[in-house]
Amino acid sequence: MFTATPLNRRSYRNQSLAKAVFFLMTVVLVIPVLLIVGTLVVKGAPAISWEFLFTAPTDNMTAGGIFPALVGTIWLVVVALLASVPVGVAAALYLSEYAPDNLLTRTINLAIINLAGVPSIVHALFGFGAFVLFFRMGQSILAASLTLAVMTLPVVIVATRESLQAVPQAFREACWNMGATRWQTIRKVVLPNSISGILTGVILEVSRTAGETAPIMFTGATAFVAFLPEGVLDQTMAMSYHLYYIATQATNVPEELTFGVALVLIAIVLMMNAVSIGFRVYLRGLKKW
Amino acid sequence: MAWYVDRAARVLVFVGGISAIVFIIGIFVFITKEGLDFVLGPLSLGEFFTSIAWRPTSNNPTYGALALIVGTASVTGFAMLFSVPLSLGAALFIAEFATGKTRETLKILVEMLAAIPSVVWGFVGMSIMNPLIIQIFDVPLGLGVLNAGLILGLMAAPIMTTIAEDALKAVPDTYREAAEALGATRWEVIVKVVIPASRNGLLAAVLLGVGRGFGETMAVLMASGHAINLPTSVFDSVRALTATIASELGDTVTGGAHWGSLFTLGILLFVVTFLINLTADIVVRGIRKK
């Protein structure tokens, strides 16, 4: 018969105590998310209307809507994706399908970690020095988007590499045995089996790109333009920079308006994240192997 | 034909593969190129690291970055003070105690925490935390080390939690089972087996968190008060290295000394984050070797 000794009881008390303490710590960490989103919704919701979303700011930013900033953010994200997704997927393909375990591969991995770890304002300095000045793009959507693309490249690489590596090795071997080349195997077997995972990463990148401010401040975002961008060499407004500008630089902006902008920005970002997470959970359910 | 396509693909994919290295070198080259004139010219290292007089726009400009370095260090330090224990605790709970739905929900909430853009955090600091701090502590200004530190801690928490959780998960289950078979409780298993086995991974998580806090720009710019000042209390305003670049670069003459001084701050930031990431990488490699 098992009877609990005082020592057993103390151990179990310690265990329950530890569990409770760690649970509390987790809650303290995640509660702010709910508080912040809640506050933004309560204070920002009154500002949101069709008119707010589809008109330009007026009266020195103290009234009107956010349409040019929304359109600008879409431009920035699309151009950044066009640049970073092909490069990022190629990098992940190299790392997962070709790279031997050598010094070069280790250096690439270290470079990816560093690219993700370099402060966003340093990316901004790089974007200014390289794209705006050296490659003479000027302050433009192109320069800003390329800066964002370099900065978010690790997101695509890491997500893509993970989904490529989730494809069982046996799939590749079966294909090689049929006489297929490495590239044929990648195109017909590896990519089709991992495309949805790659897509999840791309959506995550959209969410990241849309929220960044520092990298676009000096490379292409501007406080106010009366017209919508017509090409990649125009400057543009952007949601994130617009929020920074009306929160710190502009004067007499009604509180409700600023909260409205913050709410729209966080809604875009969190929605993209939710889609990405939902997609991932759905895929896990589908998995055939 | 298929052979040529295969060759071409191999080359293209390789070019993509080394792109990350190219960009890292590119970043270093371009910020050094713009900062070099200043480093070789007006910069005096003694003044840079010991003076708090950052007056790049005065007639007799001085470039003392001490207050900016202390500003960054104080905010990051304060952030880590509460963020490291909370993040490690959360990682332990998610990896070792939580199961099923609870675990999924907590992981998603941590991901949401990571998704909030830094400009929104800065706005939260200005518009929600600032009045709260003024009210609770009865101080004239709520923008300072406390405000920016709290926000930075929350921003750095998800990366620490995620990486620490990965490190805990990497400990083989057989270790846990062996300890449990000897009669150890969950808590004893964690303290005596799991934490020692994942020590390096946890350390790397903390390092990457510090790097994240150190390099954060917009939130610190908006929530720290942005005053050049050596802080004596958590309510004092400070100014961070990153925030200085963000707020001043727009007003400088391209190629001038002020411009160069900001790129020099950029070089400093780049080098320090590079060292932090390198250390984290070496620490992690330490576990794999074992």
Side-chain angles (χ1 to χ4, degrees), chain A residues 214-233:
Chain A
I216 60 172
M217 279 173 87
F218 312 112
T219 50
T222 178
F224 183 71
V225 271
F227 49 88
L228 297 177
E230 285 169 357
V232 292
L233 292 177

Side-chain angles (χ1 to χ4, degrees), chain A residues 47-59:
Chain A
I48 311 285
S49 64
W50 288 117
E51 203 196 328
F52 181 70
L53 293 175
F54 292 108
T55 57
T58 50
D59 306 328

Side-chain angles (χ1 to χ4, degrees), chain A residues 11 15 18 23 25-26 33 36 87 91 94 106 108 110 114 119-121 128 183 213 218 244 247 258 269 273 280, chain B residues 6 9 13-14 16 19 85 90 93 111 113 115 119 121 123 126 185-188 215 221 246 249 259 277-278 285:
Chain A
S11 305
Q15 169 170 336
F23 178 67
M25 289 166 108
T26 318
V33 181
I36 289 170
V87 179
Y94 176 73
R106 279 205 293 280
I108 292 176
L110 184 63
N114 262 298
S120 54
I121 193 69
F128 201 112
W183 176 246
T213 314
F218 312 112
Y244 170 69
T258 330
V269 168
N273 252 267
R280 200 173 59 213
Chain B
D6 189 54
V13 162
F14 180 73
S19 63
F93 184 77
E111 253 179 84
L113 194 62
V119 65
W121 279 116
F123 176 64
M126 287 174 65
T185 61
R186 231 348 129 61
W187 172 235
E188 286 160 346
L221 170 61
L249 191 69
W259 157 273
N277 287 317
L278 191 67
R285 209 161 284 286

Side-chain angles (χ1 to χ4, degrees), chain A residues 15-61:
Chain A
Q15 169 170 336
S16 325
L17 190 70
K19 186 172 173 179
V21 168
F22 288 142
F23 178 67
L24 215 65
M25 289 166 108
T26 318
V27 169
V28 169
L29 213 52
V30 295
I31 281 253
V33 181
L34 305 174
L35 285 181
I36 289 170
V37 174
T39 314
L40 291 184
V41 168
V42 170
K43 290 199 168 184
I48 311 285
S49 64
W50 288 117
E51 203 196 328
F52 181 70
L53 293 175
F54 292 108
T55 57
T58 50
D59 306 328
N60 285 325
M61 312 281 202

Side-chain angles (χ1 to χ4, degrees), chain A residues 17-251:
Chain A
L17 190 70
K19 186 172 173 179
V21 168
F22 288 142
F23 178 67
L24 215 65
M25 289 166 108
T26 318
V27 169
V28 169
L29 213 52
V30 295
I31 281 253
V33 181
L34 305 174
L35 285 181
I36 289 170
V37 174
T39 314
L40 291 184
V41 168
V42 170
K43 290 199 168 184
I48 311 285
S49 64
W50 288 117
E51 203 196 328
F52 181 70
L53 293 175
F54 292 108
T55 57
T58 50
D59 306 328
N60 285 325
M61 312 281 202
T62 56
I66 54 171
F67 189 57
L70 265 180
V71 174
T73 290
I74 295 173
W75 269 89
L76 289 169
V77 170
V78 170
V79 178
L81 284 186
L82 288 178
S84 68
V85 171
V87 179
V89 171
L93 277 173
Y94 176 73
L95 288 172
S96 152
E97 306 297 317
Y98 291 94
D101 186 15
N102 59 13
L103 186 66
L104 178 67
T105 308
R106 279 205 293 280
T107 315
I108 292 176
N109 281 319
L110 184 63
I112 293 170
I113 297 173
N114 262 298
L115 214 48
V118 168
S120 54
I121 193 69
V122 174
H123 279 283
L125 292 176
F126 163 67
F128 201 112
F131 301 125
V132 175
L133 298 178
F134 188 77
F135 292 109
R136 294 166 196 273
M137 294 172 189
Q139 296 187 327
S140 60
I141 292 178
L142 188 60
S145 288
L146 290 179
T147 311
L148 287 170
V150 171
M151 184 172 173
T152 54
L153 193 61
V155 181
V156 199
I157 298 180
V158 171
T160 308
R161 184 176 53 187
E162 254 170 45
S163 64
L164 291 175
Q165 279 170 351
V167 178
Q169 189 63 17
F171 285 26
R172 297 185 183 88
E173 283 161 4
C175 192
W176 293 334
N177 282 340
M178 310 283 286
T181 62
R182 232 165 224 275
W183 176 246
Q184 284 169 331
T185 310
I186 290 172
R187 230 175 64 87
K188 304 280 182 187
V189 174
V190 179
L191 282 180
N193 274 303
S194 55
I195 188 72
S196 25
I198 298 174
L199 212 56
T200 313
V202 171
I203 300 169
L204 199 62
E205 194 200 356
V206 171
S207 127
R208 181 70 86 64
T209 313
E212 279 300 339
T213 314
I216 60 172
M217 279 173 87
F218 312 112
T219 50
T222 178
F224 183 71
V225 271
F227 49 88
L228 297 177
E230 285 169 357
V232 292
L233 292 177
D234 287 345
Q235 287 198 346
T236 182
M237 290 177 70
M239 285 301 294
S240 54
Y241 187 63
H242 187 58
L243 175 58
Y244 170 69
Y245 188 83
I246 61 173
T248 61
Q249 312 284 314
T251 44

Side-chain angles (χ1 to χ4, degrees), chain B residues 47-60:
Chain B
E47 181 189 68
F48 191 76
F49 285 111
T50 59
S51 159
I52 63 161
W54 180 260
R55 295 197 201 93
T57 50
S58 96
N59 284 331
N60 189 7

Side-chain angles (χ1 to χ4, degrees), chain B residues 126-147:
Chain B
M126 287 174 65
S127 63
I128 301 177
M129 306 250 300
N130 182 27
L132 267 181
I133 292 175
I134 292 176
Q135 203 181 2
I136 294 173
F137 297 102
D138 195 25
V139 285
L141 182 69
L143 300 173
V145 176
L146 178 65
N147 193 333

